[in-house]
Amino acid sequence: MQAEEQFPLSETSIRGLRHDLLRFHWQTDHYAGRYKQTPNPVLFVNLATGEERIFLDPAPPGIITETALADLVEWYDQTIRSGEFIVGRSRLTYFSTAIL
């Protein structure tokens, strides 16, 4: 079995996973399986002072998010076929094995 057969990845499979994760939560089920429609920054809140600031600002909705997902899928497909992953400054080699 080849690595790309073990780890199929597509925009559809990622959106499907997102659908499966969000569909049971009533506050997020309308987002399930779709690209985001509004910005979703992650806030840091200082509980002592009430100060809020953006801790993580992901890609905005629209073409930037859609392009980023397409780029991720393309990168993954190329990487899994090459068998090498770059992690930090280390190069890891992945060997496809089947466990019976």
Side-chain angles (χ1 to χ4, degrees):
M1 181 179 291
Q2 298 300 312
E4 60 268 12
E5 294 172 24
Q6 290 183 357
F7 301 100
L9 188 63
S10 68
E11 291 180 55
T12 302
S13 62
I14 291 172
R15 287 195 323 265
L17 175 60
R18 186 167 191 259
H19 177 266
D20 290 346
L21 292 172
L22 296 179
R23 68 184 171 144
F24 297 109
H25 189 261
W26 67 270
Q27 292 177 318
T28 59
D29 63 349
H30 58 281
Y31 296 116
R34 297 180 16 211
Y35 287 109
K36 66 180 170 181
Q37 303 295 311
T38 59
N40 59 336
V42 177
L43 298 178
F44 168 81
V45 179
N46 183 326
L47 297 178
T49 65
E51 174 196 7
E52 292 184 2
R53 61 184 164 98
I54 294 176
F55 177 74
L56 177 65
D57 196 10
I63 191 69
I64 294 175
T65 293
E66 294 170 27
T67 302
L69 185 56
D71 290 347
L72 172 67
V73 169
E74 181 181 348
W75 169 84
Y76 181 85
D77 287 343
Q78 290 175 354
T79 302
I80 198 70
R81 286 189 185 115
S82 74
E84 293 185 346
F85 296 92
I86 305 298
V87 179
R89 294 183 179 173
S90 302
R91 181 180 300 263
L92 304 175
T93 303
Y94 169 79
F95 294 100
S96 174
T97 58
I99 300 175
L100 302 177

